[in-house]
Amino acid sequence: MTGAKWLPTLILLTAFQVLSAGQVVISKDGISKQSAIIFGLYIAIEWIYTIVSSIVRKKASPALEFVAFFLTGIGLVIVASVDEKLLKTQFVAVVIGFLCYVFLLWLISSMDRAMAMRLPMGIAAIGLLIITLALATNRNGAYNWIYIGSFSIQPSELVKVAFIFVGAAALEKLQSTRSLTQYIAFTVVCIILLFLMKDLGTALVFFFTFLILAFMRSGDIRTIILVCVTAAMGAALVVLVKSDYVIRRFSTYRHIWDDMDGSGYQQTRVLIYSVSGGLFGVGIGHGKLKNIFAATEDLVFGVLCEEWGILMGIIVILCFAFIATHSIKCAIGCRYAFYTIAAVAAGGLLLFQASLNIFGVTDFLPMTGITLPFISRGGSSAISCWSLIAFIKAADNRTWLGSRYHTEVVE
């Protein structure tokens, strides 16, 4: 998708978004000016970024960003169809996330700058988790949300970015035992703090990401240390499962039909309503699942299948598969190990998180309360997801065409 070859794709993406957003902007009550302005601004951001990135700065194909814009747009429409009052907050979070993507891409464009930020990133990440543990209130059995007036934030979502950043920076220097030891200590502290918060879903995501980083680091005796630490964290997860709340979640697994109006209420409704939508759905805003608790968060994939159709659900799954495979493709031939490790870890994290959400609400896996990347409502999640794709974009050598980085590679 070089040159102006991206133009037909962008036009098609815009047409899709106009048609889908139009169904919530225009209703029997008239035209919602607020929704129209928000979706208009969102589409404008897509066009401005693509033109500046591809034509003015002549960067690599915007295929990755198109997928992120596509998924995010679906999420915004679902939020608007369920509760228009929440759309503005979600849109602001998306804009912040997009700006974080641009900033992080600039930050890691220089390896000297990236290495210098490793320690501050690590300290900030642990600091955020400690603050969360001290100030968070119980929400669905976990202490991972901080409320500031009418706003709420989930710091563990933001720590995902720092976790990959610190890991990739530490493992960039393969010969440095000190860097490796520091990262192991950083990982253990993060996982322990997540255990104390009883945030099982995020702990699993961190655990899986650590496995990817450990695999990317394979090659000598120090890998054995990583494997041993991984095994220890796995044992700690078993201990965590002993909490009453987690036990209740696991006791429901594969038994949701035994208590359809109790512990299995959400998941049975997801299965019933999502299938009732058929291939093409019942129509945006016309589903029944949107009236169930956490419809735009944990259950959003079910809402998608019911209202947009199972076919759209399959397309969304393929989008996450594309992000993961694209991260691997971009990681091949990187000048620095930092880009390779960070890209694969970010792509793997997003795919794993999507799998936990989709398979959790459909009862293939225990439900963890993890959001569906880009689509689920949640400001912290939106910021985290957009930031993560900066690692994948940075791994593509074409991103730096004409820049000082590209000159260094050529030389």
Side-chain angles (χ1 to χ4, degrees), residues 354-375:
S355 300
L356 283 180
N357 176 275
I358 295 170
F359 293 139
V361 297
T362 53
D363 202 35
F364 283 97
L365 291 174
M367 193 170 176
T368 58
I370 283 291
T371 57
L372 184 62
F374 298 104
I375 298 180

Side-chain angles (χ1 to χ4, degrees), residues 104-266:
L104 186 58
L105 194 59
W106 167 82
L107 179 67
I108 60 179
S109 63
S110 166
M111 283 307 303
D112 291 337
R113 194 160 50 222
M115 292 299 110
M117 286 300 298
R118 182 184 67 181
L119 182 59
M121 278 278 192
I123 294 174
I126 294 176
L128 276 175
L129 292 178
I130 292 175
I131 292 173
T132 304
L133 188 60
L135 303 179
T137 55
N138 190 317
R139 178 172 175 176
N140 298 328
Y143 296 84
N144 55 352
W145 286 89
I146 296 178
Y147 291 88
I148 305 173
S150 59
F151 294 94
S152 62
I153 183 172
Q154 188 177 5
S156 58
E157 285 287 338
L158 308 180
V159 175
K160 290 176 184 176
V161 181
F163 189 76
I164 291 179
F165 189 105
V166 175
L171 302 181
E172 161 70 20
K173 305 298 183 182
L174 298 181
Q175 75 280 7
S176 175
T177 303
R178 181 181 178 184
S179 295
L180 183 61
T181 303
Q182 289 175 344
Y183 182 60
I184 292 176
F186 171 71
T187 300
V188 171
V189 171
C190 287
I191 296 293
I192 289 175
L193 290 171
L194 288 170
F195 286 169
L196 295 175
M197 295 176 199
K198 298 182 180 180
D199 191 352
L200 174 61
T202 305
L204 284 172
V205 172
F206 273 59
F207 179 68
F208 179 79
T209 306
F210 180 82
L211 287 177
I212 295 178
L213 291 165
F215 176 77
M216 296 294 291
R217 178 60 183 82
S218 62
D220 59 20
I221 191 64
R222 280 172 283 187
T223 302
I224 298 177
I225 300 175
L226 289 174
V227 173
C228 291
V229 173
T230 300
M233 289 189 295
L237 279 176
V238 175
V239 174
L240 176 63
V241 168
K242 291 183 178 180
S243 70
D244 293 338
Y245 180 74
V246 176
I247 288 176
R248 287 197 299 271
R249 282 199 168 189
F250 273 80
S251 65
T252 307
Y253 175 55
R254 307 304 295 173
H255 296 284
I256 59 174
W257 300 103
D258 297 341
D259 190 10
M260 291 179 58
D261 295 320
S263 58
Y265 185 81
Q266 287 179 302

Side-chain angles (χ1 to χ4, degrees), residues 206-402:
F206 273 59
F207 179 68
F208 179 79
T209 306
F210 180 82
L211 287 177
I212 295 178
L213 291 165
F215 176 77
M216 296 294 291
R217 178 60 183 82
S218 62
D220 59 20
I221 191 64
R222 280 172 283 187
T223 302
I224 298 177
I225 300 175
L226 289 174
V227 173
C228 291
V229 173
T230 300
M233 289 189 295
L237 279 176
V238 175
V239 174
L240 176 63
V241 168
K242 291 183 178 180
S243 70
D244 293 338
Y245 180 74
V246 176
I247 288 176
R248 287 197 299 271
R249 282 199 168 189
F250 273 80
S251 65
T252 307
Y253 175 55
R254 307 304 295 173
H255 296 284
I256 59 174
W257 300 103
D258 297 341
D259 190 10
M260 291 179 58
D261 295 320
S263 58
Y265 185 81
Q266 287 179 302
Q267 289 163 289
T268 53
R269 269 56 181 183
V270 167
L271 294 175
I272 293 171
Y273 294 143
S274 60
V275 173
S276 68
L279 282 178
F280 303 105
V282 298
I284 297 174
H286 299 293
K288 296 180 179 179
L289 189 58
K290 68 177 183 178
N291 299 316
I292 306 298
F293 175 72
T296 58
E297 299 161 299
D298 300 357
L299 313 182
V300 72
F301 184 74
V303 175
L304 175 71
C305 291
E306 180 190 13
E307 298 187 0
W308 301 60
I310 294 176
L311 183 61
M312 182 59 68
I314 294 173
I315 292 174
V316 166
I317 293 174
L318 292 176
C319 285
F320 290 114
F322 167 80
I323 291 174
T325 54
H326 186 72
S327 68
I328 296 174
K329 179 181 177 181
C330 290
I332 299 174
C334 287
R335 177 175 172 82
Y336 296 109
F338 174 90
Y339 295 131
T340 299
I341 296 170
V344 175
L349 186 155
L350 290 171
L351 179 62
F352 182 69
Q353 182 171 324
S355 300
L356 283 180
N357 176 275
I358 295 170
F359 293 139
V361 297
T362 53
D363 202 35
F364 283 97
L365 291 174
M367 193 170 176
T368 58
I370 283 291
T371 57
L372 184 62
F374 298 104
I375 298 180
S376 287
R377 182 176 68 85
S380 303
S381 178
I383 294 172
S384 171
C385 293
W386 272 97
S387 298
L388 287 172
I389 65 170
F391 293 125
I392 303 175
K393 187 70 175 180
D396 190 340
N397 286 331
R398 296 171 300 170
T399 300
W400 313 113
L401 288 174

